[in-house]
Amino acid sequence: MQANGTKLALGIYTALFLVFLYGPMVVLAILSFQTGPEGGPQFPIIEWSIYWYKHLFGMTPPTRIAPLPIEEALVRSLILAVMTMIVSTVLGVTSAQAFRKKFTGSGFAFYLIVLGMMVPGVLVGLGMALIANALGIDRHWWGTTFVLHVVYTYPFAFLVMLAILNRFDQSVEEASWSLGVSPVKTFRKVTFPLIFPGVLSAMLFAFTLSYDEFSRTLFASGRDLTLPLAIYGTFSVEVHPNVFAFGVLTTLFSFALLGTYAALMMLSIRRARRVAIQEEA
């Protein structure tokens, strides 16, 4: 009887947690189908339509409501996220590879790397802006912002790869070395294929964290805004459901990324199993 009560309480808690987590997303998705241009962000829905989705792509007659300034900002955010993903993943893989053996100052170096994701973003962004001003460096999304994004996402990639390499069977590499294969070729042919699922996870972390990063970007991006800053700029005037429509499309884009990640992960696992079966044979 007591066990049933505990299960019921846990079930209610889980349901409330899911409502709290996904409720705002559902509300925004519903409001994105409000009629326009008169309909605003309020309940009940006046009339269901896809007007605001058409508005995003300039397929509606001109009104007093300006289109979202997302075209160039979206391109900047995507390029910045890809640049950050590549650099953070390379740094994460190489650093985690170095931490497989103890070295002098490894503890200090570990906490120095992890510190990048723990320092408040506003403080880091403000500090970068002050340093850039003091040194006479122009702030750009591809310069100062890029550096801050790498500092922020690199620790996530590093920790993911560290967890993967800590479970790595080193005897596989030792067998390759004993056959006379060079360390570089061993890493390329043996180690990297085995840790590839972790590399994918690190890439996904770095891309998604950089794509919607706001606080670190606010002070360091200069005149050219990234997507989160461009969307935030529209809030200071008036909120229209076109923002919600764009949020829905961005969420679908994130789901597409997760789907691609899952497909690549399945292919990688199948390949690893096929190699294992061939080795056993």
Side-chain angles (χ1 to χ4, degrees):
M1 191 66 180
Q2 187 176 359
N4 291 334
T6 303
K7 287 182 180 178
L8 179 62
L10 289 175
I12 294 174
Y13 172 78
T14 303
L16 290 175
F17 177 77
L18 292 176
V19 169
F20 178 77
L21 188 63
Y22 295 106
M25 192 185 305
V26 173
V27 170
L28 295 184
I30 292 174
L31 287 174
S32 70
F33 291 100
Q34 176 71 281
T35 188
E38 299 82 8
Q42 82 277 356
F43 283 110
I45 295 290
I46 300 173
E47 184 182 350
W48 293 87
S49 76
I50 58 171
Y51 174 87
W52 296 108
Y53 289 91
K54 292 182 177 178
H55 187 270
L56 282 177
F57 297 100
M59 299 170 63
T60 55
T63 63
R64 68 176 183 83
I65 302 170
L68 285 179
I70 59 174
E71 295 180 357
E72 295 181 355
L74 177 61
V75 173
R76 289 188 201 107
S77 284
L78 288 175
I79 295 175
L80 179 60
V82 171
M83 290 166 53
T84 303
M85 176 187 72
I86 294 172
V87 174
S88 295
T89 304
V90 171
L91 289 175
V93 172
T94 52
S95 302
Q97 183 77 0
F99 270 80
R100 293 175 67 183
K101 291 184 179 178
K102 285 280 186 182
F103 58 88
T104 304
S106 59
F108 176 74
F110 175 83
Y111 290 111
L112 194 63
I113 294 172
V114 175
L115 191 64
M117 68 180 187
M118 302 181 68
V119 178
V122 174
L123 294 180
V124 176
L126 186 57
M128 174 61 84
L130 293 174
I131 291 174
N133 290 339
L135 298 178
I137 300 173
D138 292 333
R139 287 173 286 162
H140 294 286
W141 60 272
W142 47 263
T144 48
T145 304
F146 169 64
V147 172
L148 289 184
H149 281 212
V150 170
V151 170
Y152 176 47
T153 58
Y154 165 42
F156 289 94
F158 168 67
L159 291 177
V160 169
M161 294 313 305
L162 200 62
I164 295 295
L165 289 172
N166 280 339
R167 295 181 300 172
F168 187 78
D169 185 3
Q170 195 170 351
S171 62
V172 180
E173 290 177 324
E174 292 172 351
S176 177
W177 296 334
S178 65
L179 294 174
V181 182
S182 66
V184 175
K185 192 172 183 179
T186 297
F187 178 81
R188 187 163 55 88
K189 293 288 186 180
V190 178
T191 308
F192 187 76
L194 293 175
I195 65 173
F196 185 65
V199 175
L200 281 178
S201 301
M203 292 172 67
L204 184 67
F205 261 116
F207 184 90
T208 52
L209 289 172
S210 172
Y211 179 67
D212 61 358
E213 170 57 29
F214 178 82
S215 57
R216 290 168 177 78
T217 313
L218 181 61
F219 298 100
S221 65
R223 291 175 298 178
D224 298 329
L225 303 179
T226 58
L227 184 62
L229 298 182
I231 296 296
Y232 177 75
T234 64
F235 292 169
S236 60
V237 182
E238 193 175 359
V239 178
H240 297 289
N242 54 357
V243 177
F244 308 146
F246 183 74
V248 171
L249 295 180
T250 303
T251 304
L252 293 177
F253 174 70
S254 299
F255 286 157
L257 280 180
L258 288 175
T260 304
Y261 167 75
L264 291 173
M265 186 69 80
M266 288 180 63
L267 288 175
S268 176
I269 292 173
R270 286 181 182 177
R271 181 184 175 188
R273 287 177 179 172
R274 193 164 54 245
V275 171
I277 292 173
Q278 289 174 353
E279 288 179 351
E280 290 177 359

